[in-house]
Amino acid sequence: MSPPTTRTSGTGRPRHAVGLDLGTTNSALATLPLGEAGARPEVLGIPQVVQPGQVEPRPLLPSFLYLSHPAEFAAGALRLPWDEHREYLVGELARSHGGLAPVRLVSSAKSWLCHPGIDRRQPALPVGSPAEVPRVSPLEASARTLQHLREAFDFSLGRGEPSRGLARQELVLTVPASFDAVARELTVEAAALAGLDRVTLLEEPQAALYAWVEGQGDAWRQQVRVGELILVCDVGGGTTDFCLIAVVDRDGELGLERVAVGDHILLGGDNMDLALAHLLQQKLAQAGKKLDPWQFLTLVHGARVAKERLFAEPTRESLPVTVPGRGSRLIGGTLKTELTQAELAQTLLEGFFPACAATEAPFTSRRSGLTQLGLPYAQDPAVTRHLAAFLRRQRQALQGEAGRAGVLAQVRLEGRELLHPTAVLFNGGVMRAPQLEARVLSVLQGWITAAGGTPPRKLPAADLDTAVALGGACYGRVRQGQGIRIRGGTARAYYIGIEKALPAVPGLATPLQAVCLAPMGMEEGTSATLPALEVGVVVGEPAEFRLFASSVRRADVAGDLVDAPELELTELPSLETTLPPAGRPAGAVVPVQLQADVTELGTLQLGCREAGGEVWKLEFNLRKVEAPEPVG
């Protein structure tokens, strides 16, 4: 891809607030003129190649990257209005043509970007592609999608003027609420590679609620009351996100505050497409037709297309799905099957949204010692069981919190076993299917009614495919001082591991404590200096900094210690680095005071300050980082 553009200096204010939804399956871009009274956010049509030699604007940019062969397309077939010599594809043609040649198709780059089991900077995609196919890193693949969004905006609205380009606007880039500090920082880095060096991150469920507030206008205040809990249920192409937002009183005015976020669940439309493909593969096998791995990938693409069309046309009984043959007899070797409405409902409703008890937990199975390298999908595909676990876990975490000062004092924490949300806002492309939305609402209402509570109501959502982008643009306007702001700060509490100073014992690792760096809810752009702790930082030789997080420890404050972090906290990818010795011998331990900063981008920095001396800063962004320079 081309090198990132550099934002030129200047005093001009941004003309637009722009929401960028970098989705697993589809991406979108929404704009909102700043300084215009009564302006509403609008989805920008994104020019993209839809057929060889044909460019059209579409509201969604499929998040697919196709690495074409030099001789695969005729000259000019991939030409874009801003690039006559583009050699790869992002968007509609990438998705459709990639279904015919899946070994050259990069999909689910966003899911790979948050996968801690791989080095996300190294070329690894497409997985399993032959040696002649060039590979890209998850970071590069994400950056290419963002680059296309930047180029589309600059072409459509920039008019060739740098001051009108996307890089000069108030940019809000959305991420799943469950993204940890590492995935968030990698998303920021992908934006920088795409020429967008100044973005603000916003959690996708919050963006969906911003879009709801915008769509309701002032009427939103008549639809909710102080003390209510809004559940945002966001099921997209790659992830399932749960988020609870409280309606609170702020000096006599209604306000919104995010109080809980679920864990990262790699479960969404990708899993459903795979399940349908396996169903169709079994039907073909029963007819004596066997697929090779290449054909199965093509079948997954065909299953996705059929799924979307059947949900959009509920009166249609079935749709054909074809798989091209291999070898010289391509036409005669074509395999045909069909997906029916009954099969769709059975596979998705009962497999992914089953009616279950509120006490059920997601199942886990013993893993095989050896497994293929791939995405760490949730073992249990039942979204409803994950939802029950989330509401139970948060009820336990909030037990006894109602008497505390602050926002929780205003929340009606009903339900003994699980929290009882009073309203539900759906989001994500998967939830466009009314059957799936109705099933989730029915199951949730059943749990709460059985416990003697009032069943939650559904809030009218904006367009589920573009709500996140629209909400991002609204938040960009809020950052300019206009509109209601959803507060919440960090979705998790973050901790750093500290070795105890004890004698070595043969066969036993040095015991570890964890100190809270950033408590849950710490606002972006704020700092926390930890109370005086007797800690030292190792300089001049390789060292590991272990980071932990918790989505349920609400009471911890900066400086609190956890004695058994491996048991009580979730460990995140560590930082391995060598801190500059600044004139000291290698391995020296320098007494420091710790300071945590949550940046405006929503990422986490750790400062290690020597009394009257150096400051070493660590940014939690990669599994391995370059050695930082001390700053005085």
Side-chain angles (χ1 to χ4, degrees):
M1 62 185 292
S2 60
T5 59
T6 302
R7 179 175 293 187
T8 58
S9 60
T11 59
R13 295 176 60 84
R15 290 179 168 86
H16 293 87
V18 181
L20 296 93
D21 176 15
L22 177 64
T24 305
T25 305
N26 290 294
S27 295
L29 192 157
T31 66
L32 176 59
L34 294 172
E36 296 184 15
R40 304 293 296 272
E42 295 183 354
V43 175
L44 181 70
I46 303 169
Q48 55 196 284
V49 182
V50 296
Q51 295 290 340
Q54 181 181 349
V55 174
E56 293 180 4
R58 299 281 176 88
L60 297 176
L61 177 74
S63 304
F64 293 79
L65 170 65
Y66 185 77
L67 306 170
S68 60
H69 188 277
E72 192 169 4
F73 293 100
L78 308 185
R79 181 187 295 120
L80 289 165
W82 54 83
D83 188 345
E84 295 187 358
H85 307 290
R86 186 60 54 94
E87 296 179 351
Y88 61 86
L89 281 165
V90 175
E92 182 57 44
L93 184 59
R95 177 172 62 179
S96 59
H97 188 76
L100 303 177
V103 294
R104 291 183 170 271
L105 182 66
V106 177
S107 60
S108 304
K110 179 178 178 180
S111 296
W112 286 102
L113 191 66
C114 66
H115 184 2
I118 65 169
D119 186 341
R120 287 154 279 185
R121 276 185 154 183
Q122 293 301 311
L125 306 177
V127 174
S129 60
E132 65 268 18
V133 175
R135 292 195 178 192
V136 297
S137 69
L139 186 67
E140 174 77 2
S142 300
R144 290 192 183 188
T145 300
L146 287 170
Q147 178 186 341
H148 190 109
L149 293 175
R150 173 179 63 80
E151 292 168 337
F153 181 97
D154 292 352
F155 172 77
S156 301
L157 298 179
R159 303 175 187 174
E161 299 179 28
S163 65
R164 293 179 177 270
L166 184 60
R168 298 294 299 273
Q169 310 308 317
E170 179 68 49
L171 301 182
V172 175
L173 178 57
T174 61
V175 294
S178 54
F179 260 23
D180 61 26
V182 180
R184 291 170 189 249
E185 184 60 34
L186 284 166
T187 304
V188 173
E189 186 171 347
L193 284 174
L196 305 173
D197 60 352
R198 194 181 307 166
V199 298
T200 298
L201 300 185
L202 176 66
E203 295 170 5
E204 290 167 5
Q206 287 192 48
L209 197 59
Y210 274 116
W212 175 75
V213 170
E214 174 70 18
Q216 298 300 306
D218 289 338
W220 78 268
R221 292 180 172 85
Q222 282 73 54
Q223 297 199 34
V224 293
R225 300 181 301 277
V226 171
E228 290 201 81
L229 273 179
I230 301 173
L231 168 68
V232 182
C233 180
D234 185 348
V235 186
T239 57
T240 291
D241 251 355
F242 301 124
C243 179
L244 287 169
I245 296 176
V247 184
V248 298
D249 184 323
R250 291 186 187 148
D251 300 324
E253 295 286 338
L254 281 185
L256 299 168
E257 186 146 350
R258 193 253 292 119
V259 296
V261 167
D263 293 332
H264 190 67
I265 306 173
L266 208 59
L267 173 63
D270 289 350
N271 307 67
M272 299 172 194
D273 299 341
L274 193 62
L276 293 172
H278 280 294
L279 170 70
L280 297 177
Q281 183 185 38
Q282 293 173 5
K283 293 174 67 174
L284 287 168
Q286 292 171 0
K289 302 171 183 177
K290 186 176 181 181
L291 302 180
D292 62 25
W294 180 90
Q295 289 174 308
F296 181 75
L297 292 176
T298 304
L299 184 63
V300 173
H301 171 76
R304 177 190 59 78
V305 173
K307 173 197 72 176
E308 293 178 354
R309 287 190 59 188
L310 285 174
F311 274 136
E313 304 175 42
T315 58
R316 188 168 190 141
E317 293 186 0
S318 66
L319 271 174
V321 179
T322 61
V323 179
R326 302 295 299 273
S328 57
R329 294 180 63 252
L330 290 180
I331 302 300
T334 297
L335 306 179
K336 297 181 179 180
T337 184
E338 68 173 9
L339 179 66
T340 68
Q341 284 282 4
E343 292 167 337
L344 182 67
Q346 177 67 26
T347 302
L348 299 194
L349 280 175
E350 304 309 323
F352 291 89
F353 299 90
C356 63
T359 55
E360 290 190 41
F363 69 75
T364 57
S365 58
R366 179 176 294 180
R367 303 292 300 277
S368 172
L370 293 174
T371 183
Q372 281 187 324
L373 293 178
L375 290 170
Y377 291 113
Q379 286 186 278
D380 189 341
V383 173
T384 42
R385 279 195 285 269
H386 288 285
L387 175 58
F390 166 71
L391 294 174
R392 287 199 310 273
R393 185 168 61 251
Q394 294 303 328
R395 185 66 186 93
Q396 295 166 3
L398 296 175
Q399 196 77 33
E401 293 284 330
R404 294 175 60 88
V407 60
L408 291 177
Q410 302 183 39
V411 178
R412 298 196 299 270
L413 298 179
E414 299 179 351
R416 294 183 178 181
E417 299 296 330
L418 78 168
L419 283 178
H420 291 181
T422 57
V424 184
L425 180 68
F426 290 103
N427 189 56
V430 168
M431 303 314 297
R432 281 187 304 149
Q435 302 96 315
L436 305 185
E437 183 182 272
R439 171 59 66 87
V440 173
L441 190 62
S442 172
V443 171
L444 179 61
Q445 290 174 336
W447 295 337
I448 295 175
T449 300
T454 302
R457 65 194 183 281
K458 173 190 165 186
L459 296 179
D463 180 76
L464 297 181
D465 282 324
T466 59
V468 166
L470 291 166
C474 295
Y475 179 64
R477 180 175 58 188
V478 169
R479 284 179 52 81
Q480 295 288 316
Q482 304 174 51
I484 183 173
R485 182 168 191 161
I486 302 172
R487 296 179 181 173
T490 56
R492 291 167 176 75
Y494 289 99
Y495 307 76
I496 191 75
I498 299 176
E499 284 188 355
K500 291 185 178 180
L502 295 176
V505 176
L508 293 178
T510 305
L512 192 74
Q513 284 183 313
V515 60
C516 180
L517 293 177
M520 189 182 300
M522 185 171 168
E523 294 286 347
E524 291 84 356
T526 61
S527 301
T529 300
L530 277 62
L533 295 173
E534 295 182 353
V535 297
V537 65
V538 178
V539 300
E541 68 178 28
E544 180 185 44
F545 294 83
R546 295 174 65 182
L547 183 67
F548 300 84
S550 172
S551 61
V552 296
R553 294 182 66 97
R554 306 187 58 88
D556 289 344
V557 298
D560 282 358
L561 291 172
V562 179
D563 285 325
E566 297 91 342
L567 301 177
E568 300 180 56
L569 307 174
T570 299
E571 185 162 9
L572 303 178
S574 61
L575 296 180
E576 299 175 11
T577 188
T578 301
L579 298 180
R584 297 169 178 80
V589 178
V590 182
V592 293
Q593 185 176 31
L594 303 181
Q595 176 177 306
D597 295 276
V598 178
T599 71
E600 287 286 351
L601 301 178
T603 58
L604 181 66
Q605 286 185 340
L606 170 64
C608 305
R609 181 181 296 274
E610 180 189 15
E614 306 288 351
V615 178
W616 291 270
K617 285 196 173 182
L618 296 167
E619 187 127 20
F620 292 98
N621 53 359
L622 299 171
R623 295 179 68 86
K624 295 185 179 181
V625 297
E626 297 178 359
E629 295 295 332
V631 294

